[in-house]
Amino acid sequence: MTRSRTPSSRTPRSRKPAPRPARPWLGWLLKLGAVGLVLLAGLAIYLDAVVQEKFSGKRWTVPAKVYARPLELFSGLKLAREDFITELQALGYRRTQKVQGPGELAVNGNQVELHTRGFQFYEGAEPAQQLRVRFSGNQVAGLALANGGALAVARLEPLLVGGIYPAHNEDRILIQLDQVPPYLLETLIAVEDREFYNHLGVSPKSIARAMWVNTTSGALVQGGSTLTQQLVKNFFLSNERSLTRKGTEALMAVLLELHYDKQQILEAYLNEVFLGQDGQRAIHGFGLAGQYFFGQPLAELSLPQVALLVGMVKGPSYYNPRRYPERALERRNLVLDLLAEQGVVSGEEVARAKKAPLGVSSRGSLANTSYPAFLDMVKRQLRQDYQDEDLTEEGLRIFTSLDPILQLKAETAMAETLKRLGGRKGIDEVETAMVVTNPQTGEVQALLGSRQPRFAGFNRALDAQRPIGSLVKPAVYLTALEKPSQYTLTSLLQDEPFSVKTADGQVWQPKNYDHRAHGTIFLYQGLAQSYNLSTAKLGLELGVPSVLKTVARLGVEPDWPAYPSMLLGAGALSPVQVATMYQTLANGGFSTPLRGIRSVLNAAGEPLKGYPYEVQQRFDPGAIHLVQEAMRRVMREGTARSVYNQLPASLNVAGKTGTSNDSRDSWFAGFGQDLLAVVWMGRDDNGKTPLTGATGALQVWASFMRTAAPTSLDATPPDNVTRAWVDPYSGQGSDASCPGALQMPYIRGSEPPAGAPCGLPQELQAPAEQVMDWVRGWLQQ
């Protein structure tokens, strides 16, 4: 029997569900994700290597710093109180009623109290200490510790006068955390990254807060970057604004936090942050910013100064206190209010700080542009011993001989003289140069390369090769006086016209400046009055090659042909070369090569190279003494006698005027016992000027010496020099009692025989002396 099945009685069959459509994009997404993770891991490994390599190695290329000479204080030092205060102010010392900390000074009559900062010198560390310096006239009368303790000598820290910078022109003064002033770290963290100690490079909380503030305000008013991110951006990345750069920044910030502790990151930030622009040079780090804006070391900054610098991090150009003081003041006060809100400082402290002025120094440029001519000379000397990379990257410290006080006096003398000469036709086209040295050491103490000495450019002091005119004449007379058997200061010369036929067939016929002949004169008068005729005739007697050898022995070896015109200064030298030549004349015949560098330290304070004093005797001191006597007479009775319109009559100095053909060059070179200065004035296009040596360069020199107050030349003759009285007309021996008798120095043995007492004929001189001998003997008995 056949059974029939109803649908309900059927056993159900299991059936597979219909397959869903395939999703190929999911597979690709997983694959791309895996590849992305691999790439991200590779990027992280690469960035980690970059972070560690740069952050653990030499983080910054630090330019070499150039310092002036340190002021060394001791009783008896020639130093005016006003000059001392000027230097202290240049160093950033603050004048107060009572000295309480480093970098402060107080003035009470002739006494100055100060607290030095201490400094690491070539020879060792000079401690910070509180001093009392007492002045009398123009010298230090007493030096002691503020607590009354005895002190023989103390040194101030030297003035930073410039640096030698790399191509990117970044500059910084590296600091450590223990050198920061109170409140700097707290202020920086309060303003820039409140979660600094709690995040790992990136702060989601800060990002969320910044997004909320920016959204509610409708403008970009707050950033979410941490201090670590800011450091990464400045240290490793560019200023490009993109999501890729921002992501790279965040990743590198995390990596940086994984390898280095918070203190290391903070210290790096303090040295790296950009805080301003000084011309072509970028100001990085709080250490340099403190010097740049306040002229003070970072450790000495006060609360309002710290608040200003931290406030500028947000926008160094926008909040530049020199260009936008109102804007900067508002930002500073906002930072101070924030400190009070967060309890970093009390409300009373903030109220006092907000009353303080910005206190920014008036000088807007650091010293690299302050003394460009001197720095140029230093760089040239350094490059003889160091590679450019050493000078721009290794943080060397170079100590020089620059005297800031003498430099200022030289600049002032030049400016004031040019102002006085301002009414003369063509004076505006006249350029200038000046070299000031210590005759005994050969150290360059001041240098001017143009009439605008604070601007870099053509360095005329080093590079302007100009005919020196009569400045060569001391070499002619020195050549003669080295032959005492033939020439003395009272030898007779003929100042008469003559002509010479030169090797090329030309006729050379010199003339005196006044176009007159002066007949028979003494040899010293030829130099004192700068007569061309007698000087040229003497030089031809000696031989031009002999005179040129004397010039070389004086310290310069110019490639001058042995033409007769060289005897009257047709040859060209630079002002520095002239100073080298006159250095030997001023130093008793001892040649001391000019130098501007004393020593060099590396970044760790270890000595690298010294530049010791070198000296070589080139001339007999007796012959030099005679030339100095003639050059003293240049000042007393010769072409430079107008100098005593500005200098005291008691001051003995020596020098020589120089004027080239058609008054194209105005020169003066002169010296006291401890100071030598050479001045040149002329036109770069070699055009005529309205000046002679006496009306131009001499006036600058006299104005400088009036304020610099050199020591009088020592008139003590060398052992081989004696003094004798001579007749002012014949040059023969005379007696001290004779009218007009001159006492002149002679190399011993070359002096004229003593003359008879005035009123006695020569034949009665011996009997008279016998009578006087008998009287002396009788009195002794």
Side-chain angles (χ1 to χ4, degrees):
M1 184 170 143
T2 305
R3 292 182 181 176
S4 62
R5 295 182 177 180
T6 62
S8 59
S9 63
R10 291 177 186 169
T11 302
R13 273 171 136 181
S14 62
R15 291 189 303 177
K16 294 182 178 178
R20 294 179 179 179
R23 297 178 180 175
W25 59 269
L26 184 60
W28 283 108
L29 185 62
L30 292 173
K31 292 177 183 178
L32 286 175
V35 171
L37 288 174
V38 171
L39 291 176
L40 183 62
L43 177 63
I45 292 171
Y46 167 74
L47 293 179
D48 189 62
V50 170
V51 165
Q52 291 193 67
E53 179 182 7
K54 187 171 182 181
F55 206 80
S56 298
K58 186 175 71 173
R59 298 178 188 175
W60 296 282
T61 58
V62 182
K65 292 292 191 296
V66 182
Y67 295 92
R69 60 95 186 96
L71 182 58
E72 192 168 84
L73 299 169
F74 54 88
S75 292
L77 173 67
K78 187 180 73 175
L79 177 67
R81 191 201 68 159
E82 291 73 19
D83 289 341
F84 182 52
I85 294 172
T86 297
E87 180 148 351
L88 289 176
Q89 290 173 337
L91 286 166
Y93 279 68
R94 301 171 304 287
R95 195 162 176 170
T96 61
Q97 293 296 319
K98 183 179 179 181
V99 174
Q100 295 179 321
E104 294 183 347
L105 74 111
V107 181
N108 183 15
N110 285 328
Q111 180 171 281
V112 177
E113 185 170 328
L114 68 149
H115 197 308
T116 66
R117 299 182 175 119
F119 196 80
Q120 181 68 37
F121 287 101
Y122 183 84
E123 306 85 354
E126 182 82 9
Q129 51 193 342
Q130 197 162 332
L131 310 175
R132 287 197 180 108
V133 187
R134 184 167 50 85
F135 292 87
S136 177
N138 287 329
Q139 72 175 25
V140 174
L143 175 68
L145 294 169
N147 61 13
L151 189 64
V153 65
R155 278 188 298 184
L156 297 184
E157 66 275 22
L159 179 70
L160 176 65
V161 299
I164 303 173
Y165 301 98
H168 54 65
N169 277 328
E170 284 187 11
D171 193 12
R172 55 178 51 81
I173 295 175
L174 294 181
I175 59 169
Q176 297 175 341
L177 286 183
D178 59 4
Q179 297 173 306
V180 302
Y183 305 123
L184 175 56
L185 296 182
E186 294 93 332
T187 305
L188 183 63
I189 291 170
V191 174
E192 293 295 323
D193 188 358
R194 300 178 194 177
E195 305 296 323
F196 176 72
Y197 289 109
N198 301 319
H199 62 64
L200 193 65
V202 179
S203 173
K205 184 177 179 180
S206 296
I207 295 173
R209 182 175 59 247
M211 291 178 63
W212 170 256
V213 171
N214 294 337
T215 301
T216 56
S217 64
L220 187 63
V221 296
Q222 190 176 111
S225 294
T226 65
L227 282 176
T228 312
Q229 286 177 273
Q230 293 179 40
L231 175 61
V232 165
K233 181 187 72 173
N234 292 332
F235 199 67
F236 298 100
L237 304 174
S238 69
N239 288 323
E240 174 194 359
R241 289 178 175 269
S242 68
L243 289 176
T244 302
R245 206 272 296 154
K246 198 68 178 174
T248 303
E249 174 192 294
L251 180 55
M252 293 181 80
V254 172
L255 293 170
L256 193 64
E257 293 263 3
L258 288 174
H259 290 292
Y260 304 98
D261 62 38
K262 295 289 186 179
Q263 299 300 95
Q264 290 174 296
I265 292 170
L266 264 180
E267 187 170 283
Y269 185 93
L270 294 176
N271 286 304
E272 176 61 25
V273 62
F274 172 70
L275 285 168
Q277 193 75 27
D278 178 34
Q280 296 296 314
R281 191 159 50 93
I283 307 301
H284 283 262
F286 284 92
L288 184 59
Q291 289 282 2
Y292 178 62
F293 288 107
F294 304 111
Q296 298 172 223
L298 181 65
E300 296 177 14
L301 297 189
S302 62
L303 174 61
Q305 292 171 323
V306 167
L308 175 60
L309 292 184
V310 172
M312 290 175 60
V313 170
K314 183 178 179 182
S317 299
Y318 187 80
Y319 294 112
N320 185 326
R322 290 198 178 94
R323 297 187 64 185
Y324 310 109
E326 296 85 0
R327 194 182 289 171
L329 183 65
E330 183 180 359
R331 174 66 177 169
R332 183 202 71 177
N333 291 344
L334 182 63
V335 170
L336 290 170
D337 287 335
L338 187 61
L339 293 180
E341 289 174 14
Q342 298 193 28
V344 176
V345 294
S346 68
E348 293 77 11
E349 288 177 289
V350 166
R352 286 195 301 271
K354 290 173 74 171
K355 292 178 181 178
L358 286 176
V360 176
S361 60
S362 59
R363 185 173 166 195
S365 175
L366 286 175
N368 73 305
T369 55
S370 295
Y371 311 104
F374 185 85
L375 282 174
D376 182 26
M377 182 189 69
V378 167
K379 291 175 186 177
R380 297 188 198 192
Q381 292 183 0
L382 284 170
R383 288 187 175 115
Q384 297 174 15
D385 301 300
Y386 297 94
Q387 301 293 324
D388 281 350
E389 294 78 12
D390 298 330
L391 300 176
T392 59
E393 298 180 2
E394 297 300 329
L396 301 183
R397 292 193 289 164
I398 297 107
F399 297 93
T400 74
S401 56
L402 179 73
D403 187 318
I405 297 299
L406 290 179
Q407 177 75 24
L408 178 61
K409 292 178 186 293
E411 293 174 5
T412 301
M414 186 69 75
E416 289 179 350
T417 303
L418 287 170
K419 185 177 180 179
R420 286 199 306 271
L421 297 172
R424 301 195 180 195
K425 183 179 179 181
I427 198 68
D428 291 341
E429 285 77 42
V430 170
E431 267 296 347
T432 65
M434 188 172 179
V435 184
V436 179
T437 73
N438 182 318
Q440 297 164 356
T441 65
E443 290 186 330
V444 178
Q445 297 177 302
L447 197 73
L448 279 65
S450 76
R451 65 185 293 155
Q452 294 181 304
R454 297 301 175 107
F455 293 92
F458 180 52
N459 193 343
R460 295 163 187 83
L462 273 59
D463 298 324
Q465 293 284 324
R466 305 295 297 231
I468 64 172
S470 296
L471 293 192
V472 77
K473 288 178 180 175
V476 177
Y477 288 88
L478 177 57
T479 307
L481 292 168
E482 284 194 293
K483 307 175 188 297
S485 61
Q486 301 177 47
Y487 299 98
T488 70
L489 288 176
T490 52
S491 295
L492 299 179
L493 301 180
Q494 297 303 312
D495 191 69
E496 298 290 353
F498 71 96
S499 60
V500 174
K501 193 170 185 178
T502 60
D504 59 0
Q506 299 292 317
V507 175
W508 185 62
Q509 191 171 3
K511 290 183 173 63
N512 283 330
Y513 182 77
D514 61 2
H515 299 285
R516 295 167 52 199
H518 300 277
T520 302
I521 62 169
F522 290 137
L523 181 142
Y524 82 84
Q525 291 175 321
L527 183 58
Q529 302 297 337
S530 200
Y531 293 149
N532 290 338
L533 295 176
S534 51
T535 302
K537 189 168 288 188
L538 174 63
L540 290 173
E541 289 176 9
L542 299 166
V544 178
S546 296
V547 174
L548 296 185
K549 287 180 181 177
T550 299
V551 172
R553 289 164 62 204
L554 284 169
V556 295
E557 297 188 22
D559 187 21
W560 292 348
Y563 295 158
S565 59
M566 296 298 119
L567 300 171
L568 300 181
L573 294 176
S574 69
V576 161
Q577 288 176 306
V578 171
T580 300
M581 177 177 164
Y582 273 72
Q583 187 83 15
T584 307
L585 291 170
N587 197 25
F590 291 85
S591 176
T592 50
L594 297 190
R595 62 194 180 110
I597 305 171
R598 290 182 174 178
S599 57
V600 178
L601 302 184
N602 65 14
E606 300 165 340
L608 293 181
K609 183 176 177 60
Y611 292 78
Y613 169 61
E614 298 178 13
V615 63
Q616 182 182 18
Q617 186 171 356
R618 297 281 183 87
F619 296 92
D620 170 58
I624 294 290
H625 183 80
L626 300 188
V627 173
Q628 285 188 1
E629 173 67 24
M631 294 174 70
R632 279 193 287 263
R633 291 179 177 272
V634 171
M635 314 298 284
R636 293 287 181 181
E637 61 195 64
T639 55
R641 58 188 177 275
S642 67
V643 76
Y644 286 102
N645 293 334
Q646 299 194 54
L647 301 185
S650 59
L651 179 65
N652 282 318
V653 289
K656 186 69 192 76
T657 54
T659 310
S660 66
N661 288 342
D662 299 322
S663 295
R664 298 178 191 275
D665 299 274
S666 169
W667 287 94
F668 189 81
F671 49 88
Q673 188 65 28
D674 59 348
L675 211 55
L676 178 149
V678 174
V679 180
W680 168 82
M681 304 178 78
R683 290 174 52 155
D684 288 338
D685 62 3
N686 199 34
K688 295 181 181 180
T689 74
L691 306 171
T692 65
T695 60
L698 173 63
Q699 302 308 310
V700 176
W701 187 92
S703 179
F704 168 71
M705 289 293 183
R706 175 174 50 81
T707 58
T711 303
S712 277
L713 274 174
D714 184 3
T716 305
D719 292 340
N720 65 335
V721 171
T722 187
R723 299 184 74 84
W725 290 95
V726 297
D727 180 82
Y729 302 106
S730 67
Q732 295 180 357
S734 179
D735 185 79
S737 62
C738 295
L742 297 174
Q743 191 181 40
M744 299 293 292
Y746 295 87
I747 301 294
R748 198 175 298 280
S750 68
E751 71 273 17
C758 281
L760 286 178
Q762 186 73 27
E763 60 271 14
L764 296 180
Q765 177 183 353
E769 289 179 350
Q770 292 173 6
V771 171
M772 290 304 299
D773 287 342
W774 180 85
V775 171
R776 292 190 192 98
W778 179 78
L779 290 173
Q780 288 174 355
Q781 293 175 4

